[in-house]
Amino acid sequence: MIPVYSLGLLGAFASAGIAFYALMRETDGLHRLLLTDLVEVVTLAFIALLGTDLAEALILPGLVVGVSELIALSEIFRIKEGYTRPPADTLQIEVMNTAPPILAALLVIYGIILSGFSGGAVAGLGVIFYFLSRDPGERFELIETASGYSWVLWIIAFFIFMVFPQHWFFAVMLAGSAILVKVMAKMSLIGTMRGDPDA
Amino acid sequence: MPDIGGSDLFVLAFGDILHYFNPYTATLFLLALLFTGLVIASRPERQLDIAFGGDAYYAKMTTVSEMRFRRFMAIACGLASMGAMASGDIFNFTLFVSLVGITNVGIVSAVRIRHVLNAAYEYGIVAMVATLPLFGGAALILGTTGTLSIQALAAGGFAVPLVGKALLALGVIGEGMAPFYAAKAEMFRAPGAPYVIMCSLSSLLIFLRVVEIVITI
Amino acid sequence: MLIISRISRVLSNFQHLVALFAGACVIVSLIGIFSLPLAFEENQLYPKTLDPASSLYPYDRGGVPFGPTEIVAQYPENSPYAGYVTTYLTPLSQYLADHTHYLGTTIVAHPGGIIDEILYNTRGLDTVVETSILFTAFAIASYLYRRREEE
């Protein structure tokens, strides 16, 4: 009988070989960027084959590394090819003029009650909706600054865990509030990125 | 297990992730620290292109914001190299190596010269797909031995598969482009001397470190 | 001499870089296939247990919020409070978990459990580096994006 782990590895290695072979043959810049996704998925398969709680925890960094490199590379690709035309004007429907303040406020309040990562996601959804319907203006830099400072607080919380483990409760609360602001800020950027302020 | 790095000088524990220095990694760490200091202190070079057949020359200007951005990336790259030198956990090491890879892309991506951007893009794609051998190698080692700590692996009693080590080395080569300096030269033609050298130095350092890891485990 | 100069000419063209690296990866993948079967070490860190009776099945990661939980860490002596930062559910999820058996199927929205412990406490440094990578990538992208607006 073939052990399950080896069988999984066979599949992962075979997929890696196919993905890299495709990348070897492809010459177009944009298609290469798309093919990297094929490779990233196999990376996750290698980690997931472990099937432990640790594997689940390691998938998160693996995923984040791939996604973040994709962000940077696609921006470089855009600059390199000279695609600088701003996107066309945004969606305009009646609901987007009346509903945003109420819905955004409800979502943000519920997000703050939840706190932590999921709270940030819920609140961020509200802020995305608000920014999508309103003129983003120049709040871009303010949001980035808030995100940067909350990131620092989050990192401080980690070091409290490692250096002063007896203050773990304070660290949990600090991390929970900081990540709320951080996720909310990052998500709200999606709202501001749609469309040009002057359009 | 062969002990090429020498005995441990200092161990710093962060939960499950140990950081340790032995004479070999401490030397590499000091080199990264020294160079990061140099990057912080020094001013960027100004490139001059001389037009052949005349007295004319072009001065390539670097704007202040571009200079600041590239200096930030170079410092981040130095910190990431230091982390990679000190890390005693294979997965943590691979993460530091990925950070080195992406900061290398960042250092050159701010340049507005087209062929430099082309090279940075190609290099970025390699750095991105190199995460497969890196993380794959780390996961394979974890799966077959049940631990990620380099110290525990060095203590012996584990059969680390050769393909795991090969994947790890290949991943570091991809992130740092260590043997492909010829290709990196295209990136080095970007103006701004101390920052582009950081790309080269960091990839050399992570390559030297992975050699130590592969021999030790 | 001729061979070396020919090789260096191919290497010096950065257009060949991706193909070269991908080729090397294909070869290592083949080596990987030929080195199978590899034995799976049963004695893993942070092993996973499945409890079909749990309403969070199959994603119940265990753990009592703010209480001690048994976890298999590499160096337990380095994390004296390991196990305290575990599962929590939002009020809505808690209600659903108490009243249905199928919350586990939507677990993507409910992280937590031992994972929080690993990500925050025992392997916290991994998360620090991971978010630094995200931060760096974001800095690159936003710098390039903002520069376009200046022009």
Side-chain angles (χ1 to χ4, degrees):
Chain A
M1 192 199 125
I2 309 162
V4 180
Y5 184 62
S6 292
L7 202 63
L9 277 182
L10 178 68
F13 274 124
S15 327
I18 293 168
F20 277 117
Y21 184 69
L23 203 63
M24 199 169 85
R25 299 293 303 272
E26 182 59 60
T27 50
D28 186 77
L30 181 61
H31 286 177
R32 272 183 176 168
L33 191 62
L34 296 178
L35 282 177
T36 54
D37 253 3
L38 210 60
V39 176
E40 295 291 338
V41 173
V42 185
T43 311
L44 300 186
F46 268 108
I47 303 174
L49 275 173
L50 297 171
T52 57
D53 275 330
L54 182 57
E56 252 183 285
L58 296 185
I59 277 184
L60 215 55
L63 193 65
V64 167
V65 170
V67 169
S68 50
E69 288 183 344
L70 191 63
I71 296 175
L73 270 190
S74 49
E75 199 66 23
I76 293 174
F77 179 76
R78 199 181 55 70
I79 297 283
K80 174 173 92 82
E81 298 292 314
Y83 297 143
T84 49
R85 199 163 51 89
D89 57 339
T90 49
L91 184 72
Q92 284 302 330
I93 46 174
E94 166 93 35
V95 177
M96 297 182 79
N97 294 325
T98 51
I102 304 167
L103 271 179
L106 280 179
L107 283 172
V108 169
I109 290 169
Y110 185 54
I112 290 171
I113 293 171
L114 295 183
S115 84
F117 190 89
S118 24
V122 169
L125 205 64
V127 182
I128 284 185
F129 189 56
Y130 188 77
F131 280 141
L132 261 184
S133 349
R134 294 293 161 92
D135 179 25
E138 69 275 4
R139 295 177 209 121
F140 199 82
E141 270 195 62
L142 186 75
I143 294 169
E144 266 187 11
T145 314
S147 165
Y149 279 112
S150 56
W151 180 73
V152 170
L153 285 180
W154 199 50
I155 297 295
I156 289 173
F158 275 107
F159 283 96
I160 291 175
F161 267 121
M162 291 181 246
V163 184
F164 308 107
Q166 67 274 23
H167 297 303
W168 59 272
F169 188 73
F170 174 65
V172 173
M173 288 304 149
L174 189 62
S177 344
I179 199 175
L180 167 82
V181 179
K182 189 173 89 98
V183 173
M184 193 165 83
K186 284 276 160 62
M187 282 182 77
S188 62
L189 286 181
I190 303 171
T192 62
M193 269 182 173
R194 265 199 65 186
D196 196 62
D198 307 325
Chain B
M1 290 293 130
D3 187 20
I4 63 156
S7 56
D8 292 346
L9 299 174
F10 175 67
V11 175
L12 179 69
F14 284 119
D16 264 12
I17 296 171
L18 295 184
H19 280 216
Y20 69 90
F21 288 115
N22 54 34
Y24 181 74
T25 57
T27 314
L28 298 181
F29 183 86
L30 285 179
L31 201 59
L33 185 68
L34 184 76
F35 208 81
T36 312
L38 279 179
V39 164
I40 295 173
S42 63
R43 301 186 152 274
E45 69 152 342
R46 291 199 178 159
Q47 265 188 354
L48 295 180
D49 274 6
I50 295 174
F52 277 105
D55 293 343
Y57 63 86
Y58 306 99
K60 288 183 183 165
M61 290 302 289
T62 314
T63 60
V64 175
S65 74
E66 184 184 321
M67 196 272 285
R68 283 179 58 194
F69 177 77
R70 295 180 64 191
R71 188 172 58 195
F72 167 73
M73 282 295 159
I75 294 168
C77 186
L79 293 175
S81 323
M82 282 188 243
M85 292 310 109
S87 189
D89 181 276
I90 291 177
F91 197 80
N92 198 240
F93 169 75
T94 62
L95 281 175
F96 273 120
V97 169
S98 317
L99 186 54
V100 168
I102 198 157
T103 48
N104 275 356
V105 176
I107 289 172
V108 280
S109 69
V111 183
R112 287 169 197 242
I113 305 164
R114 198 181 157 81
H115 71 86
V116 176
L117 272 181
N118 271 330
Y121 180 72
E122 298 289 323
Y123 168 64
I125 294 232
V126 173
M128 199 168 162
V129 295
T131 54
L132 186 147
L134 262 184
F135 295 156
L140 203 65
I141 289 171
L142 177 60
T144 48
T145 64
T147 181
L148 278 171
S149 163
I150 293 173
Q151 289 208 317
L153 288 166
F158 295 106
V160 181
L162 197 64
V163 65
K165 293 179 179 180
L167 281 172
L168 206 61
L170 189 64
V172 172
I173 289 172
E175 291 286 349
M177 291 274 102
F180 297 124
Y181 284 121
K184 254 188 157 178
E186 206 63 34
M187 282 165 46
F188 295 158
R189 272 155 67 185
Y195 310 139
V196 275
I197 306 296
M198 195 79 216
C199 302
S200 174
L201 183 82
S202 60
S203 55
L204 178 68
L205 288 177
I206 55 175
F207 188 69
L208 289 175
R209 180 72 215 277
V210 83
V211 169
E212 190 238 344
I213 291 177
V214 164
I215 294 176
T216 308
I217 60 175
Chain C
M1 189 60 209
L2 196 66
I3 298 172
I4 290 175
S5 65
R6 201 178 295 164
I7 291 174
S8 77
R9 193 174 307 143
V10 172
L11 281 179
S12 70
N13 187 350
F14 61 81
Q15 302 284 0
H16 298 152
L17 207 60
V18 176
L20 260 172
F21 186 73
C25 287
V26 170
I27 293 168
V28 173
S29 305
L30 287 176
I31 295 173
I33 289 176
F34 287 121
S35 68
L36 293 174
L38 292 169
F40 184 69
E41 170 68 40
E42 293 301 324
N43 210 353
Q44 290 280 343
L45 301 170
Y46 311 100
K48 196 169 183 59
T49 47
L50 291 176
D51 173 22
S54 162
S55 61
L56 293 177
Y57 178 78
Y59 288 101
D60 189 356
R61 283 146 181 145
V64 186
F66 304 135
T69 307
E70 229 9 76
I71 61 171
V72 187
Q74 176 90 46
Y75 300 106
E77 68 277 9
N78 289 342
S79 314
Y81 287 87
Y84 278 77
V85 190
T86 46
T87 310
Y88 58 90
L89 293 177
T90 63
L92 185 64
S93 319
Q94 189 65 57
Y95 175 81
L96 286 174
D98 291 343
H99 290 84
T100 73
H101 279 283
Y102 308 107
L103 192 69
T105 53
T106 63
I107 203 70
V108 279
H110 310 102
I114 302 291
I115 295 213
D116 275 350
E117 193 56 58
I118 301 171
L119 286 177
Y120 278 70
N121 198 338
T122 53
R123 296 187 65 88
L125 214 59
D126 272 356
T127 316
V128 172
V129 184
E130 169 215 328
T131 52
S132 307
I133 292 173
L134 185 61
F135 191 77
T136 314
F138 204 79
I140 296 172
S142 71
Y143 175 80
L144 294 176
Y145 179 79
R146 194 105 47 81
R147 194 172 66 183
R148 181 188 72 182
E149 289 184 336
E150 284 169 10
E151 281 163 4

